[in-house]
Amino acid sequence: MDQITAFSQSIEQSLQLMQKLERLMLQETEILASRHVDRLQPILTEKQLLIERLEQETTQQKHWVESANHAFTLAGIELFFRDLDPSNDLSNRWSALRATIERCDRLNDANGRLIERGRKRVAMSLRLLCGDDGQSTTYDPYGRATSPTHQSRTISRA
């Protein structure tokens, strides 16, 4: 198998894996938004396996690019493609892969924000149950924030 065919197959494999990862991350978003976290573990397990396979493909791609005396950077990969594939087929597939990676990155950020909001919601609920609303601020006649002087009451004492 020649280098262009092997690299092309690797790019295609990476693209398929990233598309699977993107679908999993969309499922993860739905689960996080619906708060059905009990359904999250199989998604996380499958995501981890996909990431490991992607890392293997990326390591192989890096090896091919560097063995052709190019840096494994955007510029180096473009030079590698120019030398290897004047038809731009690889470059087009690489662009599709990069676009999928960028979408997954945005999904990952959004899912992280969902998780953080959920964590904050739980923390606030726990503070309220303990009688600490943590957010109460009153203002004096001059508009300066002051802490309340009375002790907050827990639900059990209310």
Side-chain angles (χ1 to χ4, degrees), residues 11-68:
I11 295 292
E12 195 59 39
Q13 177 69 21
S14 292
L15 183 57
Q16 290 173 7
L17 292 170
M18 284 304 301
Q19 289 168 340
K20 277 184 174 180
L21 183 61
E22 184 177 20
R23 287 190 298 273
L24 282 174
M25 293 180 83
L26 287 168
Q27 290 176 0
E28 181 181 49
T29 300
E30 291 173 12
I31 290 169
L32 291 170
S34 68
R35 299 184 193 159
H36 290 107
V37 292
D38 55 313
R39 297 178 12 217
L40 200 55
Q41 190 56 50
I43 301 286
L44 298 176
T45 301
E46 192 170 351
K47 272 179 51 179
Q48 183 61 40
L49 292 172
L50 284 173
I51 289 168
E52 289 171 9
R53 290 178 62 199
L54 280 161
E55 287 173 349
Q56 292 169 355
E57 287 299 323
T58 303
T59 299
Q60 183 61 47
Q61 293 161 9
K62 182 177 190 263
H63 172 73
W64 281 319
V65 171
E66 289 177 344
S67 66

Side-chain angles (χ1 to χ4, degrees), residues 1-10 64:
M1 179 183 317
D2 66 349
Q3 191 174 15
I4 189 169
T5 302
F7 196 85
S8 180
Q9 288 175 350
S10 180
W64 281 319

